[in-house]
């Protein structure tokens, strides 16, 4: 009699997303995320750096393409720091907030339900700076609106829907007026992290 046919190989176990059976296939292939985070930030040029302290920063982000080699991010970003110049009143702060969009280049490394992803990014944005108490001096105006170019790198990790990332960010600024009397720009450097969910 003919030899029996070899047994078929068992099917691979379902992925995290297949077993969950909740999210559309296009989401699982592309990867989308919602994140909140914060960190530390300081100016890079000597004049604004000498007249303010380093401060805290915060952001809220939506990302697409977290499981692709190229992704997109849209973010609300903000920060605050106190002044050190003579003549400032108590609790005088420089506050910034704005919007930015980033293009990211990712290296997604998938291990079952886990994802480890180094990434780099560059983008464009806008930020509004204002001083509390309408504080100003001969060198400092009370408000300023600047164009920004954020760029940097980071590392993201996710397990299932849970996501963490850590990143460093430089922001080049254009159309500066706040320290224009001294020719200084509001360029910044910062480090921080985010926590969120990935779909």
């Amino acid at each position: 009699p003919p030899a029996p046919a070899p047994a078929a190989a068992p099917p691979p176990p379902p992925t995290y997303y297949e077993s969950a059976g909740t999210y559309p296939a296009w989401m699982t292939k592309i990867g989308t995320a919602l994140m909140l985070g914060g960190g530390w930030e300081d100016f890079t040029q000597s004049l604004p750096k000498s007249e303010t302290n380093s401060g805290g920063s915060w952001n809220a982000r939506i990302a697409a393409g977290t499981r692709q080699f190229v992704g997109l991010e849209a973010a609300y970003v903000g920060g605050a720091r106190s002044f050190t110049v003579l003549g400032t009143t108590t609790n005088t702060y420089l506050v910034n907030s704005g919007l930015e969009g980033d293009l990211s280049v990712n290296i997604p490394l998938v291990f079952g339900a886990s994802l480890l992803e180094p990434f780099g990014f560059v983008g464009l944005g806008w930020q509004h700076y204002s001083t509390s108490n309408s504080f100003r001096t001969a060198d400092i105006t009370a408000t300023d609106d600047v164009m920004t170019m954020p760029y940097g790198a980071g590392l993201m990790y996710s397990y299932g829907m849970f996501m963490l990332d850590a990143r460093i960010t430089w922001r080049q600024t254009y159309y500066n007026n706040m320290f224009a009397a001294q020719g200084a720009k509001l360029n910044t450097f910062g480090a921080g992290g985010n926590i969120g969910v990935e779909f």
Side-chain angles (χ1 to χ4, degrees):
T15 66
Y16 169 82
Y17 296 102
E18 290 170 341
S19 61
T22 304
Y23 307 108
W26 69 268
M27 277 189 164
T28 65
K29 293 178 181 178
I30 295 175
T32 58
L34 299 173
M35 297 178 284
L36 294 172
W40 163 90
E41 190 175 68
D42 200 2
F43 292 118
T44 61
Q45 295 200 345
S46 58
L47 178 65
K49 188 179 178 70
S50 67
E51 298 194 352
T52 63
N53 293 305
S54 60
S57 63
W58 53 85
N59 69 88
R61 296 179 179 274
I62 181 169
T66 56
R67 292 176 178 263
Q68 300 294 313
F69 291 109
V70 177
L72 297 172
E73 287 186 345
Y76 159 78
V77 295
R81 69 205 73 213
S82 59
F83 278 99
T84 59
V85 294
L86 294 175
T88 56
T89 59
T90 303
N91 298 325
T92 300
Y93 293 95
L94 177 59
V95 180
N96 59 286
S97 62
L99 302 171
E100 60 190 34
D102 301 327
L103 175 72
S104 64
V105 177
N106 312 315
I107 305 176
L109 306 172
V110 180
F111 307 95
S114 298
L115 172 68
L116 183 66
E117 184 170 273
F119 63 91
F121 61 91
V122 64
L124 285 175
W126 159 86
Q127 288 210 43
H128 175 75
Y129 281 83
S130 61
T131 60
S132 63
N133 309 319
S134 298
F135 171 77
R136 68 182 69 202
T137 69
D139 297 331
I140 303 171
T141 61
T143 63
D144 196 8
D145 290 277
V146 300
M147 185 177 80
T148 63
M149 186 179 72
Y151 58 95
L155 181 66
M156 186 266 284
Y157 172 77
S158 72
Y159 181 82
M161 293 182 64
F162 178 72
M163 170 180 282
L164 293 170
D165 89 24
R167 63 180 68 197
I168 56 174
T169 304
W170 289 265
R171 284 188 178 85
Q172 193 78 21
T173 60
Y174 303 90
Y175 309 110
N176 291 256
N177 294 312
M178 181 159 280
F179 292 90
Q182 301 295 326
K185 295 184 177 182
L186 298 170
N187 300 345
T188 61
F189 168 78
N194 295 288
I195 185 171
V197 293
E198 186 197 23
F199 305 96

